[in-house]
């Protein structure tokens, strides 16, 4: 597992991905040069990384789906590696459960979801069946999950220096071509300076500063710090397909979102109406977690479950067999 100092740095960057090294160093009790070099070592070892993706404000204009894929014997990993390079997929998991692969799909429209599943996935050699669950609403996503390795006082230092502008009341966040270009550039280097981003995009640094500040404050762009699953305090990933009465869906989603193990919670179509992704210290922890969920939501049913045997892609990043980053795929869901 990563050291305590590694995890503390990851946690700090989960809270403030673009904070100056001077602020992060002050919170962690080390100098800015030391903390910057520490991060460089983690990146060089491919054990932690930063990425960017569209926030909920943009997500309302996109179509989300989870695709369960059945593969012929011995074909699952080959199929997983084939589709992992597709921009439409944010995550690809090889699982033990009701299917062989689970694909996290994002498209500009439901028609785009259909085209991808029918014309791309279903035609691949080795695929023997697919089931698509449309996700009309995402209640929780990956940026909320943290390794929880720093103290309340350290969090106070980091968050007390928050300087991002707040969106004006009543103003809906916008997502234009410059925001799209910023998203793609930050996907490659989430800590790029305003000057570096301005040079790449061909605009002024003040324009970048203004647009980026508004995009981050308004939830148009989200940044997150990831860590290799095998080296984290919660190396086991599980998916739970849950069913609750329709009139309790919103309350159930809010309740489940408060569990620290929950990384993702989405409403889905199908026999289950909620899909929850959790990160656990061990597979055995699922028993206690499921019991606690049912205790808080008495009418909750667990329809099915899957354990990730190998994460192939996460947050647009390609992963090796240990869950370390080995490449990036631009999350440009509007490219087609």
């Amino acid at each position: 597992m990563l050291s305590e100092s590694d995890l503390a740095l990851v946690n700090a960057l989960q809270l403030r991905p673009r904070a100056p090294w001077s602020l992060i160093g002050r919170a962690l009790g080390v100098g800015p040069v030391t903390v910057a070099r520490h991060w460089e070592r983690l990146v060089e070892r491919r054990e932690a990384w930063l990425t960017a993706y569209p926030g909920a404000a943009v997500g309302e204009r996109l179509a989300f789906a989870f695709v369960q894929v059945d593969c012929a014997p011995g074909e699952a990993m080959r199929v997983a590696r084939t589709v992992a390079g597709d921009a439409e997929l944010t995550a690809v998991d090889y699982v033990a459960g009701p299917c062989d692969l689970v694909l996290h799909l994002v498209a500009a429209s439901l028609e785009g979801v259909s085209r991808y599943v029918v014309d791309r996935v279903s035609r691949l050699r080795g695929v023997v069946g697919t089931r698509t669950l449309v996700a009309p609403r995402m209640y929780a996503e990956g940026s909320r999950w943290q390794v929880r390795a720093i103290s309340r006082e350290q969090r106070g230092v980091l968050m007390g220096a928050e300087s991002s502008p707040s969106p004006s009341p009543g103003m809906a966040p916008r997502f234009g071509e410059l925001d799209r270009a910023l998203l793609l550039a930050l996907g490659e280097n989430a800590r790029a300076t305003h000057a570096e981003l301005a040079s790449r995009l061909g605009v002024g640094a003040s324009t970048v500063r203004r647009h980026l500040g508004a995009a981050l404050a308004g939830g148009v762009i989200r940044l997150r710090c990831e860590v290799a699953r095998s080296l984290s305090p919660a190396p086991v990933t599980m998916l739970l397909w849950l069913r609750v009465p329709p009139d309790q869906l919103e309350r159930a989603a809010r309740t489940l979102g408060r569990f620290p193990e929950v990384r993702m919670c989405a409403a889905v179509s199908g026999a289950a109406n909620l899909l929850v992704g959790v990160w656990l210290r061990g597979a055995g922890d699922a028993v206690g977690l499921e019991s606690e969920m049912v205790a808080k939501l008495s009418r909750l049913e667990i329809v099915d479950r899957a354990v990730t045997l190998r994460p192939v892609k996460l947050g647009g990043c390609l992963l090796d067999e240990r869950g370390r980053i080995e490449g990036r795929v631009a999350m440009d869901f509007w490219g087609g």
Side-chain angles (χ1 to χ4, degrees):
M1 199 173 87
L2 294 176
S3 69
E4 287 301 318
S5 61
D6 292 336
L7 293 173
L9 176 52
V10 167
N11 199 172
L13 286 169
Q14 288 174 333
L15 288 167
R16 295 289 306 278
R18 287 180 56 83
W21 290 126
S22 57
L23 174 60
I24 293 176
R26 186 162 73 250
L28 300 182
V30 296
V33 174
T34 300
V35 77
R37 288 176 177 170
H38 187 174
W39 175 246
E40 288 173 4
R41 289 195 297 272
L42 285 174
V43 171
E44 288 171 0
R45 298 199 303 259
R46 301 184 289 116
E47 295 172 347
W49 59 94
L50 289 163
T51 189
Y53 61 101
V58 180
E60 293 175 358
R61 310 167 208 173
L62 296 168
F64 295 84
F66 299 91
V67 185
Q68 298 174 313
V69 182
D70 301 324
C71 299
E75 293 285 349
M77 282 306 301
R78 186 189 64 78
V79 172
R81 286 191 287 265
T82 298
V83 299
D86 295 347
E88 295 89 342
L89 301 182
T90 61
V92 177
D93 290 306
Y94 171 47
V95 303
C99 54
D100 296 304
L101 304 175
V102 176
L103 315 180
H104 300 229
L105 170 60
V106 184
S109 64
L110 286 176
E111 291 79 4
V113 170
S114 175
R115 281 195 302 271
Y116 182 78
V117 176
V118 173
D119 298 335
R120 171 62 168 159
V121 180
S122 298
R123 295 183 179 183
L124 288 173
R125 178 171 62 86
V127 172
V128 298
T130 64
R131 291 170 298 284
T132 303
L133 306 178
V134 174
R137 183 165 180 184
M138 297 292 293
Y139 292 102
E141 43 77 28
S143 66
R144 65 178 297 279
W145 187 88
Q146 296 176 21
V147 295
R148 301 178 185 274
I150 62 177
S151 67
R152 180 180 300 179
E153 291 73 21
Q154 290 171 315
R155 292 173 65 92
V157 171
L158 287 166
M159 303 313 293
E162 182 68 66
S163 59
S164 297
S166 299
S168 300
M171 290 189 64
R174 293 179 295 176
F175 188 79
E177 283 301 312
L178 179 55
D179 300 296
R180 175 184 173 186
L182 277 170
L183 172 66
L184 297 178
L186 290 166
E188 297 177 14
N189 181 7
R191 288 187 59 85
T193 66
H194 294 119
E196 290 168 340
L197 292 169
S199 176
R200 169 169 174 163
L201 303 182
V203 297
S206 60
T207 300
V208 167
R209 184 185 301 274
R210 184 174 64 255
H211 271 260
L212 181 55
L216 294 174
V220 169
I221 294 176
R222 296 285 189 193
L223 305 176
R224 73 186 185 204
C225 181
E226 297 285 9
V227 59
R229 304 290 337 116
S230 63
L231 303 174
S232 83
V236 176
T237 301
M238 283 192 67
L239 289 171
L240 300 172
W241 284 264
L242 310 175
R243 180 164 52 220
V244 296
D247 62 343
Q248 296 184 19
L249 186 65
E250 297 283 335
R251 184 177 75 85
R254 288 194 300 271
T255 300
L256 294 168
R258 288 193 285 268
F259 281 79
E261 298 89 348
V262 170
R263 178 181 172 90
M264 181 272 297
C265 180
V268 292
S269 59
N273 54 7
L274 279 174
L275 179 59
V276 174
V278 298
W279 284 5
L280 306 169
R281 293 182 179 275
D285 290 353
V287 177
L289 178 63
E290 291 179 9
S291 177
E292 189 177 353
M293 287 179 171
V294 174
K296 289 184 179 296
L297 297 163
S298 60
R299 299 188 65 186
L300 179 145
E301 297 178 59
I302 299 173
V303 176
D304 218 331
R305 50 181 69 78
V307 178
T308 297
L309 300 177
R310 184 179 296 183
V312 180
K313 185 179 186 180
L314 175 66
C317 296
L318 305 176
L319 308 178
D320 67 11
E321 67 281 357
R322 295 185 61 195
R324 297 172 303 187
I325 186 171
E326 61 178 8
R328 296 176 184 264
V329 179
M331 287 195 282
D332 188 1
F333 309 123
W334 307 267

